[in-house]
Amino acid sequence: MDHARSDGSMRPWSPHLSLSTARGVSPSVAAIEAVLTLGGMPTHLVPWQETSPTPTPGVFEAARTEIAAFWHAREHLDIRKEGVRLLEQTLSTMTESRRPIVLFSGGIDSSLIASTLRDLGRRDTLLVHLSFGAQDPETLAARSVASTLGMELHELRSTGSGVSCLEQPGTVYPIPFGDISTSPTAELMQGVAHLVDGIPTVIIDGTGADGAFGLGAKIATFQRLASAPGWVSSAPGAAYRWGLWRAKGDLEYRGRIARRISEFPVPLALIAQTSLFHVMFRDDHRASLTRDMTNTAVDIADANVYAQAVVTDLMLTCARVFAQKTLGPASRHGLSVVYPFLDSPLAALGIASTKANPNTPPKRWMKDALSTRLSSSLINRRKSGFIDPGGSMLRTAPFRAALEDALSADSALNGIVNAARLRRLVNHSSLSTLPHGHTNLLWSLAFTDRWYRTNCGPNEPQQTARA
């Protein structure tokens, strides 16, 4: 199949946003609520109340056309061959005349990118990995994969407690978002910047593969739960709101999922980062958020819930949360970063293939492509999150100070969050033992507050009035 576009400039899931500083305008409550609930703000929202998104004519139509091409060819399309071909084509174009630097975890996404570059003859490729210690299981796997592929691996060591990304996030990141791995990613990008040393390079980030090719089974599970009688999710969801959120382990997890399913359609329930809305913060704009995001997904992916869920994940979680963690720091250091699973037809292939075969095991074609190079134990290993397993960052004085600022009366979040309840959560808990959704919410509060405080620009007071 032939595709005219090889960049992401005309795709709705393009992560390439420009940093803009708004002055004299008020924070958007709807945008803040979206960040706290979903982790990021969708394309129809912007951080500031008096501004509007830049229109991008033809983007949805182009995406529909790209998806339809794969959909109509589905009966005769070999997903593995097409995926490999598109990835080779994309990486060849993206790395032309520049040294590839792969952000490398040793997982499926970065390993396939590395293996493909090797097949393309790019022996100058450098794999860069951030380690949380000598016994970090991700580091051990990254070393094994790099050795097997015969590629150069450069290891950076995380301090585990660095929160430099909270210093001036409004001058680095185009939009606020909530992801606790922003801090180690900033460390990783700082290390990459020191390695470049004036050599023409391109940084390759594998974000988007999970969203495009890894969601089918999870969507099916959420769809089954959503199709059950209403009380199956509404009863535990209500219990979660009124106190089950204080539980730990499997009971808390089940209540969290039930609340998301009882309050959102499947595509949004799938990507929600917390179920603490109307517990720790307001969500007055949930109805309009749900309506606008659903309309966008339907416009691109029609009525199929699997396609809608993949589109929603690509447009918000992948493009406006995960990719932003590397895009901002790269731009700050004058570096170029690309996303082959977002900036190419690969995303459309993922949408069409998930719609056609939702029960296909996650990333099957990617694992098959690696099977001739790596052992099944490396391919099928369970990955851990990109965060210091000891949780030391959350106990640092700078993070605690940033969190307290977020709960203060002069914060952009004032009137949105329940500061008293959040303080009780922080003061009576060991942050490293809280459920991930709770700690990620605390991080989102601190980061979002700092983003608004530092995005106002020098000599401009923060505006706290909101519409």
Side-chain angles (χ1 to χ4, degrees):
M1 297 177 65
D2 294 323
H3 299 269
R5 295 179 292 121
S6 60
D7 62 87
S9 60
M10 288 295 290
R11 293 183 174 88
W13 38 80
S14 171
H16 300 285
L17 307 176
S18 298
L19 180 67
S20 59
T21 301
R23 291 181 171 86
V25 291
S26 51
S28 165
V29 175
I32 292 173
E33 289 178 4
V35 171
L36 298 183
T37 302
L38 303 177
M41 59 184 65
T43 55
H44 70 274
L45 292 176
V46 290
W48 300 97
Q49 186 66 39
E50 294 83 355
T51 55
S52 301
T54 303
T56 50
V59 168
F60 287 6
E61 181 180 356
R64 287 193 297 269
T65 300
E66 199 165 58
I67 296 166
F70 289 118
W71 175 253
H72 294 315
R74 66 189 182 280
E75 297 294 338
H76 310 288
L77 192 63
D78 184 318
I79 300 298
R80 173 181 171 178
K81 288 183 179 180
E82 184 66 7
V84 169
R85 185 188 72 82
L86 286 173
L87 186 58
E88 288 179 346
Q89 181 186 79
T90 300
L91 290 174
S92 180
T93 301
M94 289 178 166
T95 62
E96 186 176 3
S97 302
R98 296 184 290 181
R99 185 187 189 188
I101 295 182
V102 180
L103 304 181
F104 192 72
S105 69
I108 297 299
D109 314 342
S110 59
S111 294
L112 183 59
I113 289 171
S115 178
T116 303
L117 287 167
R118 182 181 182 279
D119 290 343
L120 291 171
R122 295 305 304 263
R123 302 290 178 175
D124 58 337
T125 299
L126 178 63
L127 312 180
V128 182
H129 173 82
L130 183 74
S131 174
F132 293 108
Q135 298 307 309
D136 181 352
E138 297 298 305
T139 298
L140 300 177
R143 290 172 182 168
S144 183
V145 173
S147 175
T148 301
L149 295 177
M151 302 183 75
E152 181 182 358
L153 176 68
H154 184 89
E155 290 184 25
L156 301 169
R157 182 67 180 267
S158 172
T159 64
S161 59
V163 288
S164 62
C165 60
L166 290 177
E167 293 174 0
Q168 295 286 327
T171 66
V172 176
Y173 301 92
I175 54 175
F177 56 92
D179 190 304
I180 200 168
S181 64
T182 302
S183 180
T185 304
E187 285 190 272
L188 171 63
M189 297 304 292
Q190 178 71 35
V192 169
H194 288 312
L195 292 173
V196 170
D197 196 26
I199 302 171
T201 59
V202 59
I203 301 165
I204 304 174
D205 183 337
T207 290
D210 281 326
F213 301 104
L215 292 180
K218 188 174 182 180
I219 299 168
T221 299
F222 273 61
Q223 182 71 352
R224 284 195 299 272
L225 292 171
S227 300
W231 61 266
V232 173
S233 59
S234 62
Y240 190 88
R241 176 180 177 181
W242 296 111
L244 187 58
W245 60 268
R246 296 183 179 90
K248 295 182 179 180
D250 189 61
L251 186 61
E252 185 277 333
Y253 172 77
R254 290 176 181 273
R256 182 199 325 161
I257 298 301
R259 183 149 200 250
R260 283 157 56 179
I261 290 173
S262 67
E263 300 288 351
F264 286 113
V266 167
L268 271 67
L270 194 77
I271 67 170
Q273 296 296 297
T274 183
S275 296
L276 292 174
F277 44 87
H278 261 323
V279 176
M280 296 295 179
F281 60 92
R282 289 164 40 190
D283 67 336
D284 299 345
H285 296 80
R286 191 200 319 160
S288 59
L289 176 70
T290 299
R291 181 195 64 234
D292 292 339
M293 291 188 68
T294 299
N295 289 342
T296 296
V298 170
D299 195 10
I300 296 173
D302 66 45
N304 183 276
V305 69
Y306 289 91
Q308 289 177 28
V310 175
V311 165
T312 301
D313 188 83
L314 288 169
M315 289 184 66
L316 194 141
T317 307
C318 294
R320 299 174 78 85
V321 182
F322 295 162
Q324 298 307 312
K325 294 183 294 183
T326 54
L327 180 67
S331 299
R332 182 184 192 183
H333 293 294
L335 304 175
S336 173
V337 59
V338 294
Y339 308 87
F341 291 103
L342 295 174
D343 293 338
S344 79
L346 281 163
L349 175 64
I351 296 166
S353 62
T354 303
K355 177 181 176 181
N357 301 290
N359 295 318
T360 300
K363 303 182 186 177
R364 179 174 178 176
W365 76 265
M366 301 173 67
K367 292 181 179 180
D368 287 347
L370 282 170
S371 63
T372 59
R373 292 281 173 79
L374 303 179
S375 67
S376 66
S377 61
L378 284 174
I379 292 174
N380 297 307
R381 71 182 179 88
R382 185 181 180 87
K383 277 182 60 55
S384 56
F386 187 45
I387 186 68
D388 174 20
S392 58
M393 176 188 70
L394 299 175
R395 297 190 294 269
T396 62
F399 174 75
R400 292 284 189 150
L403 184 56
E404 185 57 38
D405 284 345
L407 303 180
S408 65
D410 67 343
S411 171
L413 281 62
N414 182 42
I416 300 175
V417 302
N418 188 323
R421 184 171 287 174
L422 282 161
R423 284 194 180 96
R424 287 197 296 272
L425 175 67
V426 172
N427 293 335
H428 293 88
S429 302
S430 171
L431 295 187
S432 60
T433 63
L434 284 174
H436 175 74
H438 294 17
T439 55
N440 199 73
L441 173 61
L442 296 178
W443 172 266
S444 300
L445 295 170
F447 186 85
T448 302
D449 171 75
R450 290 296 299 161
W451 189 92
Y452 277 102
R453 290 180 187 274
T454 57
N455 187 252
C456 292
N459 306 317
E460 290 288 338
Q462 182 189 8
Q463 305 294 313
T464 57
R466 292 179 294 274

